[in-house]
Coordinates of all heavy atoms in Angstrom, one line a residue:
M44 N 79.3 113.5 98.3 CA 80.6 113.6 97.7 C 81.6 112.8 98.5 O 81.6 112.9 99.7 CB 81.0 115.1 97.6 CG 82.4 115.3 97.1 SD 82.9 117.0 96.9 CE 81.6 117.5 95.9
R45 N 82.5 112.1 97.9 CA 83.5 111.3 98.7 C 84.7 112.1 99.0 O 85.0 113.0 98.3 CB 83.9 110.0 97.9 CG 84.8 110.3 96.7 CD 85.1 109.0 96.0 NE 86.0 109.3 94.9 CZ 87.3 109.3 94.9 NH1 87.9 109.1 96.0 NH2 88.0 109.6 93.8
Y46 N 85.2 111.8 100.2 CA 86.4 112.5 100.7 C 87.6 111.8 100.1 O 87.7 110.6 100.1 CB 86.4 112.5 102.2 CG 87.7 113.0 102.8 CD1 87.9 114.4 102.9 CD2 88.7 112.1 103.2 CE1 89.1 114.8 103.4 CE2 89.9 112.6 103.8 CZ 90.1 113.9 103.9 OH 91.3 114.4 104.4
T47 N 88.6 112.6 99.7 CA 89.9 112.0 99.2 C 91.0 112.6 100.1 O 91.1 113.8 100.2 CB 90.2 112.4 97.8 OG1 89.1 111.9 97.0 CG2 91.5 111.8 97.3
A48 N 91.7 111.7 100.8 CA 92.8 112.2 101.6 C 93.9 112.8 100.8 O 94.2 112.3 99.7 CB 93.4 111.0 102.4
P49 N 94.4 114.0 101.2 CA 95.4 114.6 100.4 C 96.7 113.8 100.3 O 97.1 113.1 101.3 CB 95.7 115.9 101.2 CG 95.0 115.8 102.5 CD 94.1 114.7 102.4
S50 N 97.3 113.8 99.1 CA 98.5 113.0 98.9 C 99.7 114.0 99.1 O 99.6 115.2 99.4 CB 98.5 112.6 97.4 OG 98.7 113.7 96.6
N51 N 100.9 113.4 99.1 CA 102.1 114.2 99.2 C 102.2 115.3 98.1 O 102.6 116.4 98.3 CB 103.3 113.3 99.2 CG 103.5 112.5 100.5 OD1 103.0 112.9 101.5 ND2 104.2 111.4 100.4
T52 N 101.7 114.9 96.9 CA 101.7 115.9 95.8 C 100.8 117.0 96.1 O 101.1 118.2 95.9 CB 101.3 115.2 94.5 OG1 102.1 114.1 94.2 CG2 101.3 116.1 93.3
H53 N 99.6 116.8 96.7 CA 98.7 117.8 97.1 C 99.4 118.8 98.1 O 99.3 120.0 98.0 CB 97.4 117.3 97.8 CG 96.6 116.5 96.9 ND1 96.0 115.3 97.3 CD2 96.3 116.6 95.5 CE1 95.3 114.8 96.2 NE2 95.5 115.6 95.2
F54 N 100.0 118.2 99.1 CA 100.7 119.0 100.1 C 101.9 119.8 99.5 O 102.0 121.0 99.8 CB 101.3 118.1 101.3 CG 100.3 117.6 102.2 CD1 100.1 116.3 102.3 CD2 99.5 118.5 103.0 CE1 99.1 115.8 103.2 CE2 98.6 118.0 103.9 CZ 98.3 116.6 104.0
T55 N 102.6 119.2 98.6 CA 103.7 119.9 98.0 C 103.2 121.1 97.1 O 103.7 122.2 97.2 CB 104.5 119.0 97.1 OG1 105.0 117.9 97.9 CG2 105.6 119.7 96.4
L56 N 102.1 120.9 96.3 CA 101.6 121.9 95.5 C 101.1 123.1 96.4 O 101.3 124.2 96.1 CB 100.4 121.4 94.7 CG 99.6 122.5 93.9 CD1 100.6 123.3 92.9 CD2 98.5 121.8 93.1
R57 N 100.4 122.7 97.5 CA 99.9 123.8 98.4 C 101.0 124.6 99.0 O 100.9 125.8 99.0 CB 99.0 123.1 99.5 CG 98.4 124.2 100.4 CD 97.8 123.6 101.6 NE 97.3 124.6 102.5 CZ 98.2 125.3 103.3 NH1 99.4 125.1 103.4 NH2 97.7 126.3 104.1
Q58 N 102.1 123.9 99.4 CA 103.2 124.7 100.0 C 103.8 125.6 98.9 O 104.3 126.7 99.2 CB 104.2 123.7 100.5 CG 103.8 123.1 101.8 CD 103.4 124.1 102.9 OE1 102.2 124.2 103.2 NE2 104.3 124.9 103.4
E59 N 103.9 125.1 97.7 CA 104.5 125.9 96.6 C 103.6 127.2 96.4 O 104.1 128.3 96.2 CB 104.7 125.1 95.3 CG 105.8 124.1 95.5 CD 106.0 123.3 94.2 OE1 105.6 123.8 93.1 OE2 106.6 122.2 94.3
L60 N 102.3 127.0 96.4 CA 101.4 128.1 96.1 C 101.5 129.1 97.3 O 101.5 130.3 97.1 CB 100.0 127.6 96.0 CG 99.7 126.8 94.7 CD1 98.3 126.2 94.8 CD2 99.8 127.7 93.5
V61 N 101.6 128.6 98.5 CA 101.7 129.5 99.7 C 103.0 130.3 99.6 O 103.1 131.5 99.9 CB 101.7 128.7 101.0 CG1 102.2 129.5 102.2 CG2 100.3 128.1 101.2
G62 N 104.1 129.6 99.1 CA 105.4 130.3 98.9 C 105.3 131.4 97.9 O 105.8 132.5 98.1
V63 N 104.6 131.2 96.8 CA 104.4 132.2 95.8 C 103.6 133.4 96.4 O 104.0 134.6 96.2 CB 103.7 131.7 94.5 CG1 103.3 132.8 93.6 CG2 104.6 130.7 93.8
L64 N 102.6 133.1 97.1 CA 101.8 134.2 97.7 C 102.6 134.9 98.7 O 102.5 136.2 98.8 CB 100.5 133.6 98.4 CG 99.5 133.1 97.4 CD1 98.4 132.4 98.2 CD2 98.9 134.2 96.6
G65 N 103.5 134.2 99.5 CA 104.3 134.9 100.5 C 105.3 135.9 99.9 O 105.7 136.8 100.5
R66 N 105.7 135.6 98.6 CA 106.6 136.6 98.0 C 105.9 137.9 97.7 O 106.6 138.9 97.4 CB 107.1 136.0 96.7 CG 108.1 134.8 96.9 CD 108.9 134.5 95.7 NE 108.2 134.3 94.5 CZ 108.0 133.1 93.9 NH1 108.4 132.0 94.5 NH2 107.3 133.0 92.7
Y67 N 104.6 138.0 97.7 CA 103.9 139.2 97.5 C 103.3 139.8 98.7 O 102.6 140.9 98.6 CB 102.8 138.9 96.4 CG 103.4 138.6 95.1 CD1 103.7 137.3 94.7 CD2 103.7 139.7 94.2 CE1 104.3 137.1 93.5 CE2 104.2 139.4 93.0 CZ 104.5 138.1 92.6 OH 105.1 137.8 91.4
Q68 N 103.5 139.2 99.9 CA 102.9 139.8 101.1 C 103.3 141.2 101.5 O 102.6 141.8 102.2 CB 103.1 138.8 102.3 CG 104.5 138.7 102.8 CD 104.6 137.6 103.8 OE1 103.7 136.9 104.2 NE2 105.8 137.4 104.3
D69 N 104.5 141.6 101.0 CA 105.0 142.9 101.3 C 104.5 144.0 100.3 O 104.6 145.2 100.6 CB 106.5 143.0 101.4 CG 107.1 142.2 102.5 OD1 106.3 142.0 103.5 OD2 108.2 141.7 102.4
T70 N 104.0 143.5 99.2 CA 103.5 144.5 98.1 C 102.0 144.4 97.9 O 101.4 145.4 97.4 CB 104.2 144.2 96.8 OG1 104.0 142.8 96.4 CG2 105.7 144.5 96.9
L71 N 101.3 143.4 98.4 CA 99.9 143.3 98.3 C 99.3 143.0 99.7 O 99.9 142.3 100.4 CB 99.5 142.1 97.3 CG 99.9 142.2 95.9 CD1 99.5 141.0 95.1 CD2 99.3 143.4 95.2
C72 N 98.2 143.7 99.9 CA 97.5 143.4 101.2 C 96.8 142.1 101.2 O 96.6 141.5 100.1 CB 96.6 144.6 101.5 SG 95.1 144.6 100.6
P73 N 96.4 141.6 102.4 CA 95.8 140.3 102.4 C 94.5 140.2 101.6 O 94.2 139.2 100.9 CB 95.4 140.1 103.9 CG 96.5 140.8 104.6 CD 96.8 142.1 103.7
A74 N 93.8 141.3 101.5 CA 92.5 141.3 100.7 C 92.9 141.2 99.2 O 92.2 140.5 98.4 CB 91.7 142.6 100.9
E75 N 94.0 141.8 98.8 CA 94.4 141.6 97.4 C 94.9 140.2 97.1 O 94.6 139.7 96.0 CB 95.5 142.6 97.0 CG 95.1 144.1 97.0 CD 96.2 145.1 96.9 OE1 97.2 145.0 97.7 OE2 96.1 146.0 96.1
L76 N 95.6 139.6 98.0 CA 96.0 138.2 97.8 C 94.8 137.3 97.7 O 94.8 136.4 96.9 CB 96.9 137.8 99.0 CG 98.3 138.5 99.0 CD1 99.0 138.1 100.3 CD2 99.1 138.1 97.8
L77 N 93.8 137.6 98.6 CA 92.6 136.8 98.5 C 91.9 137.0 97.2 O 91.4 136.0 96.6 CB 91.7 137.2 99.7 CG 90.3 136.6 99.7 CD1 90.4 135.0 99.9 CD2 89.5 137.2 100.9
A78 N 91.8 138.2 96.7 CA 91.1 138.5 95.4 C 91.8 137.8 94.3 O 91.1 137.1 93.4 CB 91.1 140.0 95.2
V79 N 93.1 137.9 94.2 CA 93.8 137.2 93.1 C 93.7 135.7 93.2 O 93.4 135.0 92.2 CB 95.3 137.6 93.1 CG1 96.1 136.8 92.1 CG2 95.5 139.1 92.8
S80 N 93.8 135.2 94.4 CA 93.6 133.7 94.6 C 92.2 133.3 94.2 O 92.1 132.2 93.6 CB 93.9 133.3 96.0 OG 95.3 133.7 96.4
S81 N 91.2 134.1 94.5 CA 89.9 133.7 94.2 C 89.6 133.7 92.7 O 88.9 132.9 92.2 CB 88.9 134.7 94.9 OG 89.0 134.6 96.3
Q82 N 90.3 134.7 92.0 CA 90.2 134.7 90.6 C 90.8 133.4 90.0 O 90.2 132.8 89.0 CB 90.9 135.9 90.0 CG 90.1 137.2 90.2 CD 90.8 138.4 89.5 OE1 91.7 138.2 88.8 NE2 90.3 139.5 89.8
L83 N 91.9 132.9 90.5 CA 92.5 131.7 90.1 C 91.5 130.5 90.3 O 91.4 129.7 89.4 CB 93.8 131.4 90.8 CG 94.5 130.1 90.4 CD1 94.8 130.0 88.9 CD2 95.8 130.0 91.3
V84 N 90.9 130.5 91.4 CA 89.9 129.4 91.7 C 88.8 129.5 90.7 O 88.4 128.5 90.2 CB 89.4 129.5 93.2 CG1 88.2 128.5 93.4 CG2 90.5 129.2 94.2
G85 N 88.3 130.7 90.4 CA 87.3 130.8 89.4 C 87.7 130.3 88.0 O 87.0 129.6 87.3
N86 N 89.0 130.6 87.7 CA 89.5 130.1 86.4 C 89.5 128.5 86.4 O 89.1 127.9 85.4 CB 91.0 130.5 86.2 CG 91.1 132.0 86.0 OD1 92.1 132.6 86.3 ND2 90.1 132.7 85.4
L87 N 90.0 127.9 87.5 CA 90.0 126.5 87.6 C 88.6 125.9 87.6 O 88.4 124.8 87.0 CB 90.7 126.1 88.9 CG 92.2 126.4 89.0 CD1 92.8 126.2 90.4 CD2 93.0 125.6 87.9
I88 N 87.6 126.5 88.2 CA 86.2 126.0 88.1 C 85.8 126.1 86.6 O 85.2 125.1 86.1 CB 85.3 126.9 89.0 CG1 85.6 126.6 90.5 CG2 83.8 126.5 88.7 CD1 84.9 127.5 91.4
A89 N 86.1 127.2 85.9 CA 85.6 127.3 84.5 C 86.3 126.3 83.6 O 85.7 125.9 82.6 CB 86.0 128.7 84.0
L90 N 87.5 125.8 84.0 CA 88.2 124.8 83.2 C 87.8 123.4 83.4 O 88.2 122.5 82.7 CB 89.7 125.0 83.4 CG 90.3 126.3 82.9 CD1 91.7 126.4 83.3 CD2 90.1 126.4 81.4
Q91 N 86.8 123.2 84.3 CA 86.4 121.8 84.6 C 85.6 121.3 83.4 O 84.8 122.0 82.8 CB 85.6 121.7 85.9 CG 86.4 122.1 87.1 CD 87.6 121.3 87.3 OE1 87.6 120.0 87.3 NE2 88.8 122.0 87.4
D92 N 85.7 120.0 83.1 CA 84.9 119.3 82.1 C 83.5 119.1 82.7 O 83.4 118.3 83.6 CB 85.6 118.0 81.7 CG 84.9 117.2 80.7 OD1 83.7 117.6 80.3 OD2 85.4 116.2 80.2
E93 N 82.5 119.8 82.2 CA 81.2 119.7 82.7 C 80.5 118.3 82.4 O 79.5 118.0 83.0 CB 80.3 120.8 82.2 CG 80.6 122.1 82.8 CD 79.6 123.2 82.5 OE1 78.4 122.9 82.4 OE2 80.0 124.3 82.4
T94 N 81.1 117.5 81.6 CA 80.6 116.1 81.4 C 81.1 115.2 82.5 O 80.6 114.1 82.7 CB 81.1 115.5 80.1 OG1 82.5 115.4 80.0 CG2 80.6 116.4 78.9
R95 N 82.1 115.7 83.3 CA 82.7 114.9 84.4 C 82.4 115.5 85.7 O 82.4 114.8 86.8 CB 84.2 114.8 84.2 CG 84.5 114.0 82.9 CD 86.0 113.8 82.8 NE 86.3 112.8 83.9 CZ 87.4 112.2 84.0 NH1 88.4 112.4 83.1 NH2 87.7 111.4 85.0
M96 N 82.2 116.9 85.8 CA 81.9 117.5 87.0 C 81.0 118.7 86.8 O 81.2 119.6 86.0 CB 83.2 118.1 87.6 CG 83.0 118.8 89.0 SD 84.6 119.5 89.6 CE 85.6 118.0 89.8
S97 N 79.9 118.7 87.6 CA 79.0 119.8 87.5 C 79.5 121.0 88.2 O 80.4 120.9 89.1 CB 77.6 119.4 88.1 OG 77.8 119.3 89.5
P98 N 79.0 122.2 87.8 CA 79.4 123.4 88.5 C 79.1 123.3 90.0 O 79.9 123.8 90.8 CB 78.6 124.5 87.8 CG 78.3 124.0 86.5 CD 78.2 122.5 86.6
E99 N 78.0 122.7 90.3 CA 77.6 122.5 91.8 C 78.7 121.6 92.5 O 79.0 122.0 93.7 CB 76.2 121.9 91.9 CG 75.1 122.8 91.4 CD 75.0 122.8 89.9 OE1 75.5 121.8 89.2 OE2 74.3 123.7 89.3
T100 N 79.1 120.6 91.9 CA 80.1 119.7 92.5 C 81.5 120.5 92.6 O 82.1 120.4 93.7 CB 80.4 118.5 91.7 OG1 79.1 117.7 91.6 CG2 81.4 117.6 92.3
A101 N 81.8 121.3 91.6 CA 83.0 122.1 91.7 C 82.9 123.0 92.9 O 83.9 123.2 93.7 CB 83.3 122.8 90.4
M102 N 81.8 123.7 93.1 CA 81.6 124.7 94.2 C 81.6 123.9 95.5 O 82.2 124.5 96.5 CB 80.3 125.5 94.0 CG 80.4 126.5 92.9 SD 81.8 127.6 93.0 CE 81.4 128.4 94.6
E103 N 81.1 122.7 95.6 CA 81.1 122.0 96.8 C 82.6 121.6 97.2 O 83.0 121.7 98.4 CB 80.3 120.7 96.7 CG 80.2 119.9 97.9 CD 79.5 120.6 99.1 OE1 78.7 121.5 98.9 OE2 79.9 120.3 100.3
I104 N 83.4 121.3 96.2 CA 84.8 121.0 96.5 C 85.5 122.3 97.0 O 86.2 122.2 98.0 CB 85.5 120.5 95.2 CG1 85.1 119.1 94.8 CG2 87.1 120.6 95.4 CD1 85.5 118.7 93.5
V105 N 85.2 123.4 96.4 CA 85.8 124.7 96.9 C 85.3 125.0 98.3 O 86.2 125.3 99.2 CB 85.4 125.8 95.9 CG1 85.8 127.2 96.5 CG2 86.0 125.6 94.6
L106 N 84.0 124.9 98.6 CA 83.5 125.2 99.9 C 84.1 124.2 101.0 O 84.5 124.7 102.1 CB 82.0 125.1 100.0 CG 81.3 126.2 99.2 CD1 79.8 125.9 99.1 CD2 81.6 127.6 99.8
Q107 N 84.2 122.9 100.7 CA 84.8 122.0 101.7 C 86.2 122.3 101.9 O 86.7 122.2 103.1 CB 84.6 120.6 101.2 CG 83.2 120.0 101.2 CD 83.1 118.6 100.7 OE1 84.1 118.0 100.3 NE2 81.9 118.1 100.7
N108 N 87.0 122.7 100.9 CA 88.4 123.0 101.1 C 88.6 124.4 101.8 O 89.6 124.5 102.5 CB 89.1 122.8 99.8 CG 89.4 121.4 99.5 OD1 90.3 120.8 100.1 ND2 88.5 120.8 98.7
I109 N 87.7 125.3 101.6 CA 87.8 126.6 102.3 C 87.6 126.3 103.8 O 88.4 126.8 104.7 CB 86.7 127.6 101.8 CG1 87.1 128.1 100.5 CG2 86.6 128.7 102.8 CD1 86.1 129.0 99.8
E110 N 86.6 125.4 104.1 CA 86.4 125.1 105.5 C 87.6 124.4 106.1 O 88.0 124.7 107.3 CB 85.1 124.2 105.6 CG 83.8 125.0 105.3 CD 82.6 124.1 105.3 OE1 82.7 122.8 105.4 OE2 81.5 124.6 105.0
E111 N 88.2 123.4 105.4 CA 89.3 122.7 105.9 C 90.5 123.7 106.1 O 91.2 123.6 107.0 CB 89.7 121.6 104.9 CG 90.9 120.8 105.4 CD 90.8 120.2 106.7 OE1 89.6 119.8 107.1 OE2 91.8 120.1 107.4
G112 N 90.7 124.6 105.1 CA 91.8 125.6 105.3 C 91.6 126.5 106.5 O 92.5 126.8 107.2
N113 N 90.3 126.8 106.8 CA 90.0 127.6 108.0 C 90.4 126.8 109.2 O 91.0 127.4 110.2 CB 88.6 128.1 108.0 CG 88.3 129.2 107.0 OD1 89.2 129.9 106.6 ND2 87.0 129.4 106.6
R114 N 89.9 125.6 109.3 CA 90.2 124.7 110.4 C 91.7 124.6 110.6 O 92.2 124.7 111.8 CB 89.6 123.3 110.2 CG 88.1 123.2 110.6 CD 87.7 121.8 110.7 NE 87.7 121.1 109.4 CZ 86.7 121.2 108.5 NH1 85.6 121.9 108.8 NH2 86.7 120.6 107.4
A115 N 92.5 124.4 109.6 CA 93.9 124.2 109.7 C 94.6 125.5 110.2 O 95.5 125.5 111.0 CB 94.5 123.8 108.4
A116 N 94.1 126.7 109.7 CA 94.7 127.9 110.1 C 94.4 128.2 111.6 O 95.3 128.6 112.3 CB 94.1 129.1 109.2
I117 N 93.2 127.9 112.0 CA 92.9 128.1 113.4 C 93.7 127.2 114.3 O 94.2 127.6 115.3 CB 91.4 127.9 113.6 CG1 90.6 129.1 113.0 CG2 91.0 127.8 115.1 CD1 89.1 128.9 112.9
A118 N 93.8 125.9 113.9 CA 94.7 125.0 114.6 C 96.1 125.4 114.7 O 96.7 125.4 115.8 CB 94.6 123.6 114.0
D119 N 96.6 126.0 113.6 CA 98.0 126.5 113.6 C 98.2 127.7 114.6 O 99.2 127.8 115.3 CB 98.5 126.9 112.2 CG 98.7 125.7 111.3 OD1 98.8 124.6 111.8 OD2 98.8 125.9 110.1
L120 N 97.2 128.6 114.5 CA 97.2 129.7 115.4 C 97.1 129.3 116.9 O 97.9 129.8 117.8 CB 96.1 130.7 115.1 CG 96.2 131.5 113.9 CD1 94.9 132.3 113.6 CD2 97.4 132.4 113.9
E121 N 96.3 128.3 117.2 CA 96.2 127.8 118.6 C 97.5 127.2 119.0 O 97.9 127.3 120.2 CB 95.0 126.9 118.7 CG 93.7 127.6 118.6 CD 92.5 126.6 118.5 OE1 92.7 125.4 118.3 OE2 91.3 127.1 118.7
E122 N 98.1 126.4 118.1 CA 99.3 125.8 118.4 C 100.4 126.8 118.7 O 101.2 126.6 119.7 CB 99.7 124.9 117.2 CG 100.6 123.7 117.6 CD 100.8 122.8 116.4 OE1 99.9 122.0 116.2 OE2 101.8 122.9 115.7
T123 N 100.5 127.8 117.9 CA 101.5 128.9 118.1 C 101.2 129.6 119.4 O 102.2 129.9 120.1 CB 101.4 129.9 116.9 OG1 101.6 129.2 115.7 CG2 102.4 131.0 117.1
T124 N 100.0 129.9 119.7 CA 99.6 130.6 121.0 C 100.0 129.7 122.2 O 100.5 130.2 123.2 CB 98.1 130.9 121.0 OG1 97.8 131.7 119.8 CG2 97.7 131.7 122.2
D125 N 99.7 128.4 122.1 CA 100.0 127.5 123.2 C 101.5 127.4 123.5 O 101.9 127.2 124.6 CB 99.3 126.1 123.0 CG 97.8 126.2 123.0 OD1 97.3 127.1 123.6 OD2 97.2 125.2 122.5
A126 N 102.2 127.4 122.4 CA 103.7 127.3 122.5 C 104.4 128.5 123.1 O 105.5 128.4 123.6 CB 104.3 126.9 121.1
A127 N 103.7 129.6 123.0 CA 104.3 130.9 123.4 C 104.2 131.1 124.9 O 103.7 130.4 125.7 CB 103.6 132.1 122.8

């Protein structure tokens, strides 16, 4: 699978989604936010055109981006800890 560098639109969308989740951080626990977000990802997978993307390819995209999200979160935490 080819790697596509994120565009400014990708970054903007991600920030907007994080902002929406942040509005619920006081009323939903992290596990609930994860559950709801996962359901959304499931919806997006189901909406893929199977003539253009196989379910396996969709899941590979999800897994690669989960890994990237984990790397970014760890880097952010390390940066915050180093700055303190």
Side-chain angles (χ1 to χ4, degrees):
M44 174 179 304
R45 74 181 176 89
Y46 171 80
T47 302
S50 68
N51 287 337
T52 303
H53 296 142
F54 285 118
T55 300
L56 174 58
R57 184 187 173 283
Q58 285 307 111
E59 288 181 21
L60 292 170
V61 168
V63 169
L64 291 172
R66 292 199 307 258
Y67 291 89
Q68 69 184 0
D69 293 335
T70 56
L71 298 174
C72 73
E75 291 171 311
L76 292 172
L77 178 61
V79 172
S80 299
S81 298
Q82 286 183 9
L83 176 60
V84 170
N86 295 149
L87 293 170
I88 291 169
L90 293 173
Q91 297 305 305
D92 178 352
E93 287 191 35
T94 64
R95 299 186 64 169
M96 179 183 300
S97 70
E99 294 80 17
T100 299
M102 288 305 298
E103 184 62 29
I104 290 170
V105 170
L106 291 173
Q107 287 180 1
N108 282 281
I109 288 171
E110 290 172 1
E111 181 57 33
N113 285 339
R114 276 193 292 277
I117 290 168
D119 288 347
L120 288 172
E121 288 174 347
E122 208 172 276
T123 301
T124 302
D125 291 344

